[in-house]
Each structure stands twice: as C-alpha cells, then as structure tokens.
Amino acid sequence: MNEPERNCLVRTVASTQSEMTEIILPNDTNILGNLLGGRLMHFIDLTGAMAAYRHSRTHVVTAAMDHIDFIRPVRLGDLLTLKSSVNRAFTSSMEVGVKVWAENTRTGGVVHVASAYLVFVAVDEHGRRQNVPELLPETPDEIRRHADALRRREHRERERVRQSREREVTAAQDACPPQP
Ligand SMILES: CC(C)(COP(=O)(O)OP(=O)(O)OC[C@H]1O[C@@H](n2cnc3c(N)ncnc32)[C@H](O)[C@@H]1OP(=O)(O)O)[C@@H](O)C(=O)NCCC(=O)NCCS
C-alpha cells in the first residue's frame, strides 16, 4: 500500500474534546435495571469517535478498545455523561481517552462509572489510511496523558506481534492436523 501523505497541521487537545449525554431507558438495561455492558461500550465508541473526527477531520475506524473497568453499575433513569479527547496522535492512528459518569436524577449525585482508551485509524472514503495532524499537549495533565499513550502503544504493538505469531501457529496446525 502507498504511504499516505504527511499531514503538516497541528491541533490542540482542547479542539478534540467531545461530550455526549444519554438518559438510560429500559431498552438499555438488563432485567435488574442496570445498563448493559455492551450498550456502554457502544456509547464509549461513539464518544471516542467524535474526538477522533475532530482531530483528523476525515473518516475514522476503531482499531482497538483497551480493557474497560465497569467501576459501578448505571441504573435505569440515570443520566450518563461521556467525555473524550485525543491523548496522542501517531501517523494514521490516534489514542482517545473516554471517561464516563452517571448522575442520579433524584439526588443529583454524580459518580465515575467507567474509563477506556481506544485507538482510531483515519481513512479516506475508500478505506485508505490517512496521516493525521500532530497533537500539541498544553496542560500538565495533557502532557502526562501524551507520554502515557506512547507507553500503551508500545504495549499494544508487542501484544499485536504476539497474537499474530499465535495465529500463524494455529493456521499451520489447522493446515496439518496431527495424524491419529
Ligand atoms: C485498523 C485498520 C485500518 C489497520 O489497518 P492495517 O492495514 O492493519 O494497518 P497497519 O498495520 O499498517 O497500521 C496502521 C495504523 O493502525 C494502527 N493499528 C493497527 N491495528 C491496531 C490495533 N489492533 N491496535 C492499535 N493500533 C492499531 C497501527 O499502529 C498504525 O498506526 P500508525 O499509522 O499511527 O503508526 C484495519 O485493521 C481495519 O480496517 N480494521 C477494521 C476496523 C473496523 O472495522 N472497526 C470497527 C468499525 S469502525
């Protein structure tokens, strides 16, 4: 595949910040009235994509979602607020952080319920990778997240290599199954 063109733009973290609020309805919950984990992941994916769109200004696809801790249950009728921003931009990929809070509408109490990191890849309308602008971290928190994102990328790369080797071994075993 041809290498995508270099992107000379620079964007700030603030310009990528995105937010979504949802009211949790019966369709979103299990029989105990708690928000379904898969539904929460869907909201996280959407909010993460908003930040990635704002940074890349092109189409994006989700390449990875790191493990998510469901810290507290979200109840039917709660207001769910999700906030996202790009932590670091690489060549065609961006790491986005998403943090989620639930608000009890009767008491007004707000609790942190989940956090996740996602990687989005910028692509054009034909699915060809696009280089993304550089991200400029400005505040101490943004600079810390920027550095942490590089460590997580290195960890993901090691994991990708390990999984790809495992797939090769499995494919070889499937091609030549042991004789009875
Ligand atoms: C994500 C995808 C575009 C990567 O394509 P690819 O040809 O494997 O790309 P490469 O290996 O050349 O990597 C391209 C970039 O993606 C990143 N990437 C690819 N797979 C990744 C993964 N599993 N986790 C994190 N980053 C990943 C690479 O680090 C690289 O980033 P960089 O350009 O910033 O250095 C491709 O695997 C894909 O289309 N996957 C399906 C996406 C999808 O359908 N998502 C759900 C719906 S949106």
Side-chain angles (χ1 to χ4, degrees):
M1 186 190 276
N2 290 339
E3 278 305 304
E5 271 178 36
R6 185 156 173 261
N7 194 319
C8 298
L9 288 171
V10 179
R11 293 217 165 90
T12 61
V13 176
S15 73
T16 72
Q17 281 167 352
S18 304
E19 185 171 335
M20 184 168 103
T21 301
E22 288 281 329
I23 184 159
I24 303 308
L25 297 170
N27 231 8
D28 302 319
T29 66
N30 63 19
I31 49 176
L32 298 173
N34 293 334
L35 173 63
L36 293 161
R39 197 82 180 108
L40 178 57
M41 285 164 72
H42 175 67
F43 292 140
I44 288 174
D45 192 24
L46 288 180
T47 316
M50 291 174 197
Y53 278 125
R54 285 189 165 137
H55 184 70
S56 64
R57 295 291 169 196
T58 181
H59 302 282
V60 297
V61 293
T62 315
M65 188 186 281
D66 287 2
H67 89 270
I68 304 176
D69 288 318
F70 298 108
I71 302 163
R72 291 192 184 83
V74 180
R75 303 284 304 155
L76 177 64
D78 282 354
L79 290 181
L80 196 73
T81 297
L82 302 98
K83 291 187 182 179
S84 64
S85 55
V86 176
N87 289 334
R88 188 164 184 141
F90 299 98
T91 306
S92 64
S93 68
M94 300 151 274
E95 187 200 86
V96 175
V98 181
K99 199 165 175 183
V100 189
W101 295 265
E103 177 182 339
N104 180 311
T105 50
R106 272 156 296 140
T107 65
V110 177
V111 287
H112 172 215
V113 293
S115 291
Y117 298 109
L118 299 92
V119 178
F120 293 91
V121 176
V123 293
D124 67 12
E125 61 274 26
H126 306 292
R128 288 185 297 239
R129 282 190 291 116
Q130 300 291 294
N131 280 359
V132 294
E134 190 184 326
L135 184 80
L136 180 68
E138 295 173 302
T139 69
D141 273 345
E142 290 171 7
I143 292 166
R144 176 180 51 77
R145 289 189 202 113
H146 194 256
D148 290 348
L150 182 60
R151 281 192 283 278
R152 283 188 292 270
R153 173 179 164 99
E154 288 162 356
H155 175 77
R156 283 185 206 105
E157 287 300 318
R158 284 195 295 276
E159 194 50 25
R160 273 177 79 195
V161 171
R162 192 188 63 74
Q163 287 178 359
S164 145
R165 284 206 194 107
E166 259 181 25
R167 276 197 295 272
E168 279 169 22
V169 171
T170 312
Q173 285 168 349
D174 288 349
C176 303
Q179 298 300 311

